[in-house]
Amino acid sequence: GRSVTFAAGVLSGIEQFDAGFFGISPREAAWLDPQQRLLLELAWEATENGGVPASRLAGSNCAVFVGISGLDYGVRGLDDLATLSAYTMTGNTLSIAANRLSYVFDLHGPSMAIDTACSSSLIALHQACNCLRMGEAGMAMVGGVNGLMHPYPFIGFSKASMLSAGGRCRTFDASGDGYVRAEGGVVLLLKPMDKALADGDRIHAVILASGANADGGRNTGLTIPSRDGQIELMRTVLARSEVTAADVDYLEAHGTGTAIGDPIETSAIGAVYGQARPALRPLPIGSVKTNLGHLEPASGMAGLIKALLVVKHRQIPPSIHVE
C-alpha cells in the first residue's frame, strides 16, 4: 500500500471553479470532476483565443473529442457511498467529459471521450482530423486532461516500477528511473485549412497528417513499446504528410524517462529520421515531460503545444535533467 514517490506536477487552485458562469448549480458542481471543470474553462479560453465566440458555435455541427482516463475524483466517493447524489455519475463518468462540452456549448457534432492510456489525447486529435476530412463536422474541439486526486494510481504505478523514486523525469538520460506524474489539460479548435482561412480565424499551426497503430504481439510485454511498431507508424505518417525526414527540424518525443521506453523510442526515431538525414544536419529531439512531468492521457497534447510553440518562436526549450 505504499508509493515510491508522491512527487508530481500539480495545478494550484483546482477547486476554484465559477460554476454559475457555465450554468451549473453549486450542488451539481460539488460532484463535478475537476477534470470536467478544467475542460470547460480551457474550452472557453480556446474559443476566445481562436476568435470564435462561443455564441457562434452554438447549434453548429462542431465535434468534440476528449482524451481522458483518470477516475480519481469519483473513486473518492466510493469511500462513503452515503454521500453519492443524483450528480455523481454525470460528474464522474468519462464519456460525459466530452458530452459536457457539447451540452454547455450546444455543439451538435460527434462527441466522445477516448481512453487509450497515455496516447489518449493524440488519438482524440487523430480522430478529430479524420472526422473533419470525412465531412462529418465542420469544426472540432479536441482536448486532453489529467487530474491527480487519489493515491491509488501512485501505488499501482509504483508496483509496476514506472515512477521515478527520485521525483525527476530524466528523459534520454542514463540515470532515468521512471516518470513523474502531472496534471493539466489542453483544448484546441480544429478546422479544415481552407475554411479557417475563409473565416479569418487565428491559425497557430497546420496539421499535415496523423496516424495511429497498435503493437499487437510484437513487443515482449503488454506495457513495453515495440520499436518496429513505432518505425512503421512514423514512416506511414511521413508518407501521408508528403514531408521527408530531412525536412523535419524538430521532433517532440514521448520520452517518459523510463529505462525501457526511452532506448526503444530513440532507436526508432534514429531509424526513421536519423538515417535519412545528411550527416551535418542533426535532428534535435526533446520531451516536455522533463519540464512539466507526464500528463498521462493529456501528455501527447502537452507535447503538441510545445512543438507548436517551437515552430512559432523558432526556439527549442531545453529538456532538463539530461546529463
Side-chain angles (χ1 to χ4, degrees):
R2 295 179 181 272
S3 172
V4 297
T5 180
F6 282 106
V10 295
L11 298 174
S12 59
I14 192 71
E15 77 289 349
Q16 296 172 8
F17 176 65
D18 190 350
F21 180 83
F22 294 102
I24 298 170
S25 71
R27 184 174 293 180
E28 182 174 7
W31 269 111
L32 192 63
D33 186 336
Q35 295 180 124
Q36 289 194 30
R37 306 179 204 183
L38 187 58
L39 283 170
L40 285 168
E41 293 168 342
L42 291 171
W44 186 273
E45 291 175 9
T47 62
E48 288 187 332
N49 183 271
V52 185
S55 58
R56 197 192 304 168
L57 288 178
S60 72
N61 71 336
C62 180
V64 177
F65 296 89
V66 171
I68 183 172
S69 62
L71 294 164
D72 291 18
Y73 195 70
V75 168
R76 285 200 168 276
L78 301 182
D79 297 335
D80 185 0
L81 296 177
T83 65
L84 305 191
S85 79
Y87 301 110
T88 301
M89 301 310 292
T90 54
N92 296 275
T93 304
L94 295 186
S95 59
I96 301 298
N99 302 158
R100 176 88 58 183
L101 296 180
S102 298
Y103 176 74
V104 169
F105 290 91
D106 189 23
L107 310 177
H108 297 182
S111 180
M112 62 192 77
I114 294 173
D115 178 8
T116 58
C118 301
S119 63
S120 298
S121 63
L122 287 188
I123 297 296
L125 183 81
H126 175 59
Q127 295 299 328
C129 290
N130 287 342
C131 177
L132 295 178
R133 287 193 187 100
M134 293 174 63
E136 292 183 351
M139 187 174 181
M141 186 177 283
V142 186
V145 69
N146 195 39
L148 312 178
M149 293 161 283
H150 198 283
Y152 88 86
F154 283 91
I155 296 166
F157 290 134
S158 291
K159 297 293 185 182
S161 301
M162 293 181 178
L163 300 187
S164 167
R168 291 291 183 272
C169 202
R170 300 183 183 276
T171 302
F172 309 139
D173 193 274
S175 66
D177 64 343
Y179 75 82
V180 178
R181 306 187 72 212
E183 57 188 11
V186 175
V187 171
L188 302 174
L189 293 179
L190 303 186
K191 270 187 181 179
M193 181 70 170
D194 55 353
K195 191 171 190 301
L197 287 170
D199 293 345
D201 296 327
R202 176 187 290 179
I203 300 171
H204 290 286
V206 180
I207 298 170
L208 297 180
S210 62
N213 73 349
D215 293 334
R218 289 179 285 191
N219 41 14
T220 56
L222 181 62
T223 61
I224 299 173
S226 162
R227 177 180 181 272
D228 291 343
Q230 292 189 8
I231 289 173
E232 178 184 281
L233 183 58
M234 288 179 194
R235 285 178 174 160
T236 299
V237 176
L238 264 180
R240 286 179 188 163
S241 69
E242 298 182 351
V243 169
T244 68
D247 295 327
V248 177
D249 293 312
Y250 172 72
L251 194 147
E252 174 68 11
H254 186 53
T256 57
T258 58
I260 293 178
D262 282 10
I264 293 173
E265 184 178 15
T266 50
S267 176
I269 292 169
V272 176
Y273 291 92
Q275 294 178 17
R277 296 172 71 83
L280 297 179
R281 284 200 62 212
L283 175 65
I285 65 173
S287 171
V288 76
K289 292 176 181 63
T290 66
N291 311 87
L292 304 179
H294 188 353
L295 274 70
E296 297 168 338
S299 62
M301 201 71 87
L304 179 66
I305 291 295
K306 176 188 168 184
L308 187 155
L309 293 172
V310 166
V311 171
K312 188 172 183 179
H313 297 290
R314 305 182 69 84
Q315 290 183 321
I316 301 172
S319 293
I320 57 179
H321 308 312
V322 177
E323 296 178 13

